[in-house]
Amino acid sequence: MPNLLLELRSEEIPARMQRKAAGDLKKLVTDALVEAGLSYEGAREYWTPRRLALDIHGLTARSADVREERKGPRTDANEKAIEGFLRGAGLASVSEAQVVSDPKKGDFYVAVISRPGRAAEEIVAEVMPGIIRDFPWPKSMRWGKASSRPGALRWVRPLQSIVCTFGPEHEETIVIPFEIDGITASNITYGHRFHAPEAITVRRFDDYTANLEKAKVILDAERRKDIILHDARDIAFANGLELVEDEGLLEEVSGLVEWPQVLMGSFEEDYLSIPSEIIRLTIKTNQKCFVTRKQGEETLSNKFILISNIQAHDGGKEIVHGNGKVVRARLSDALHFWKRDQGDLPDLETLTASAAKFGLDLKQPLDQRMAKLDALDVTFHAKLGTQGARVARIRALAEELARVTGADAALTDRAAVLAKADLRTEAVGEFPELQGLMGRKYAVLQGENASVAAAIEDHYKPQGPSDRVPADKVAITVALADKLDTLIGFWAIGEKPTGSKDPFALRRAALGVVRILLERNVRLPLLKIMSQTSLLAKTGDAVFAFAGDPAETFFDLLAFFHDRLKVYLRDQGARHDLIDAVLTADADDLLMVARRVEALTAFITSEDGKNLLAGTKRATQLLAAEEKKGTVIADAVSPALLKLDAEKELFAAISAASKDAADAVAGEDFRSAMAALSKLRGPVDRFFEDVLVNDEDAAIRANRLALLRLIREATGTVADFSKISG
């Protein structure tokens, strides 16, 4: 079967767009071919800085013939109905339609539409111009003289050539010469911009990749990444160092080169006085270079690794020299930021009011930055006030939370006040990714308590499902206060996530709260914390206005927490039906919900649990059916009406199990509660074997139904068994 080779070559495509663009090309082309009636065995996409390529193998040479019967109106239908049918079927007159008789419905028209199959070349030539013209680039441009024409081709960077060849694996291939804006598809491509700028004639994918490699282009991005990573490790090891690996940077640099050459540069050791995080970000952000460290150590070395796209005649000396000059200049700036942030601000006299508001010491550099943040009235959000107002809210909320977490009140207050101070440092102004981390470093330098310093960094955490969770009680408290203030505030002003849009990362904040509560065993009554309006009143001008009813807002936010909790527990392996069985609309202690799910999971997978579930579901289903019919059910079980041993035994067992389970739940011992309920297994089974619930005597029937209700109520102390599948 034939193979199709497609290449779209352009000026350099931004590295961040390449992988997705190649995937989009594959999907768009294969979907269009399949829709046109073709099939294929496999397809793989490739990309370099200057090209997107697609290899489709096992493509059918021709689409199948299509025969379709389209049923029309009855022969005695009105003229408009018949005309519409003919027009839709592409028939000129009713004489071209068939008449089919139906004994029940009478005679009606049927159009037999036959479409012969088409050659794959014809289909490719038809679909490709539209795919290229409508390609979903995040940003695109027009270029050249044609750019002034309406409808001119737009592409991420100027499109230069198109390759499109088609043919069997071991025979001659043909070119499918479609055209778009003056660019006609051919079998000609070009290699490396500097090393091999001559034209290359290709036939199929195998010689295409081989010829490109001869022309200093490695087509496979994963192979380029592998070369870069292993060569970088090797050159570091040869110098007694180890590479500080960075998957994101590796992905980016592999999209900047077609012929990767790994080189090592250096900078003066004096710059190592700058924190390693700043050095790494400076070199990564500005020069796309990797840093190194001595083997087995955490601190960085003064050697960095750069990736060139040119195999230089001098072994890369000039390239290394040029990159080194830029790295030194950037590190000089970083050293300046680092030192400036440890000094006094020039306008301390304007900060006294803010310092008094937050109890700040203007002799301390970090305190000065917090006072400056407040004095400048830096806006956090138009409807939620300034950063200073937000810090005031976080401070008040942290005070309340400290009573729950057991954190030291004075240290918590200090950490909450300084948590956002580094937003006014020059280091964070240059590298926003370092917020929190730089605050910690500056806090240590000015002699803050270790818990305060840790909280300043960790109050942003966790920032995702794989990020670490704060461990120190002060850090836990401030992290919860920060995230809860964000969530309550944005819910209050009606800025909730919608669909896939979440511009304020509220899902991440809620998941962070869930992870802290569960992984650090924090019991927190969320509704109580959220609804303490007196807490907000403490912050004066930091109060924000609720767009709706506060109580409804808090319950809606609690439901959002429930959604994040479900996602977290399912990722941990919990069954969705067991989560639903435990989770009620007003369950605001998420740690207890998780513990209930854990206990229920262990119980329901045991033999006693499986059998009790079956008996309980039978009881609840029967009870629900009778309730729906309006059958009379006694308000309470009357022992005098219990005639059979099985129902007497069940009543006694329920009475004992209910008390034991309730006591265990009150003591938050959910496993013991499950164990107490497991004693109902035998009595429930015997009840259904020996007892007819719908007795002819109405009083006995009502009493037995009340007994079933007791089963439902007893098991309901730990979970809603009706929601458990199986």
Side-chain angles (χ1 to χ4, degrees), residues 180-442:
I180 180 168
D181 270 32
I183 303 172
T184 302
S186 68
N187 60 353
I188 303 297
T189 190
Y190 297 83
H192 193 284
R193 181 188 294 277
F194 304 113
H195 291 308
E198 302 82 13
I200 302 169
T201 302
V202 299
R203 293 178 299 167
R204 55 179 60 85
F205 183 74
D206 288 345
D207 71 279
Y208 168 69
T209 54
N211 285 331
L212 279 182
E213 189 141 346
K214 290 176 186 176
K216 309 294 187 186
V217 174
I218 296 174
L219 183 66
D220 188 344
E222 295 304 321
R223 187 167 159 232
R224 293 198 304 275
K225 286 174 66 174
D226 191 62
I227 290 170
I228 293 168
L229 180 60
H230 285 87
D231 285 0
R233 286 173 177 170
D234 290 346
I235 196 172
F237 182 78
N239 285 271
L241 305 169
E242 65 181 21
L243 176 71
V244 178
E245 296 185 15
D246 186 324
E247 178 60 31
L249 180 58
L250 180 61
E251 174 79 10
E252 184 175 10
V253 296
S254 72
L256 296 175
V257 296
E258 291 190 317
W259 191 249
Q261 304 296 306
V262 178
L263 304 168
M264 177 173 278
S266 64
F267 54 85
E268 287 73 19
E269 291 191 356
D270 291 349
Y271 289 121
L272 295 178
S273 63
I274 307 169
S276 295
E277 294 84 358
I278 295 182
I279 295 174
R280 183 176 178 180
L281 260 180
T282 298
I283 292 176
K284 170 184 175 178
T285 304
N286 296 302
Q287 287 304 103
K288 313 302 179 190
C289 295
F290 295 86
V291 293
T292 63
R293 60 191 168 211
K294 291 184 179 179
Q295 293 179 5
E297 295 184 11
E298 287 299 317
T299 55
L300 299 183
S301 78
N302 67 325
K303 306 287 186 182
F304 64 91
I305 291 175
L306 62 105
I307 315 302
S308 171
N309 193 35
I310 299 173
Q311 190 171 335
H313 298 299
D314 64 354
K317 290 181 181 177
E318 282 300 314
I319 296 172
V320 169
H321 175 71
N323 276 268
K325 284 176 65 177
V326 179
V327 165
R328 291 185 192 93
R330 296 294 188 180
L331 289 177
S332 178
D333 290 343
L335 182 60
H336 175 71
F337 298 150
W338 170 241
K339 290 181 177 178
R340 279 280 297 271
D341 287 339
Q342 297 172 51
D344 290 338
L345 292 173
D347 53 352
L348 292 182
E349 67 280 356
T350 66
L351 306 179
T352 53
S354 292
K357 184 193 303 184
F358 290 100
L360 297 166
D361 180 0
L362 290 182
K363 295 178 182 178
Q364 301 281 28
L366 201 57
D367 292 57
Q368 294 174 20
R369 272 70 187 174
M370 178 55 223
K372 187 72 172 178
L373 183 69
D374 179 65
L376 288 174
D377 286 335
V378 177
T379 299
F380 169 63
H381 185 279
K383 295 181 181 179
L384 295 174
T386 65
Q387 286 283 7
R390 182 165 186 245
V391 170
R393 292 196 302 269
I394 292 172
R395 184 185 190 185
L397 188 51
E399 181 184 343
E400 296 294 324
L401 291 172
R403 299 188 179 99
V404 176
T405 62
D408 181 276
L411 295 179
T412 298
D413 185 70
R414 180 67 173 163
V417 166
L418 293 180
K420 306 296 181 183
D422 67 355
L423 295 178
R424 289 304 306 166
T425 62
E426 295 193 37
V428 173
E430 181 73 11
F431 300 112
E433 306 97 315
L434 295 180
Q435 58 186 292
L437 186 146
M438 294 311 302
R440 178 176 190 163
K441 290 185 178 296
Y442 294 133

Side-chain angles (χ1 to χ4, degrees), residues 1 69 321 345 368 381 460 481 492 544 551 613-614 653 682 693 719:
M1 295 176 75
E69 290 189 0
H321 175 71
L345 292 173
Q368 294 174 20
H381 185 279
Y460 288 107
F544 43 76
L613 174 62
V693 175

Side-chain angles (χ1 to χ4, degrees), residues 54 69 103 135 162 166 187 202 236 365 454 461 484 515 543-544 637:
L54 182 61
E69 290 189 0
F135 200 80
I162 301 171
F166 181 70
N187 60 353
V202 299
K461 297 183 177 297
L484 287 171
R515 287 192 60 201
V543 177
F544 43 76
V637 174

Side-chain angles (χ1 to χ4, degrees), residues 10 38 194 393 469 536 538:
S10 68
L38 300 176
F194 304 113
R393 292 196 302 269
V469 175
L536 293 176
K538 294 178 183 178

Side-chain angles (χ1 to χ4, degrees), residues 92 169 213 566 688:
E169 189 172 351
E213 189 141 346
K566 289 178 182 178
F688 282 114

Side-chain angles (χ1 to χ4, degrees), residues 482-518:
D482 177 63
K483 292 168 178 58
L484 287 171
D485 174 74
T486 298
L487 289 159
I488 294 170
F490 281 107
W491 244 256
I493 63 174
E495 293 281 359
K496 301 183 293 185
T498 55
S500 61
K501 295 182 179 179
D502 186 10
F504 304 111
L506 301 180
R507 291 187 181 94
R508 186 176 70 185
L511 179 60
V513 172
V514 169
R515 287 192 60 201
I516 292 172
L517 297 181
L518 271 56

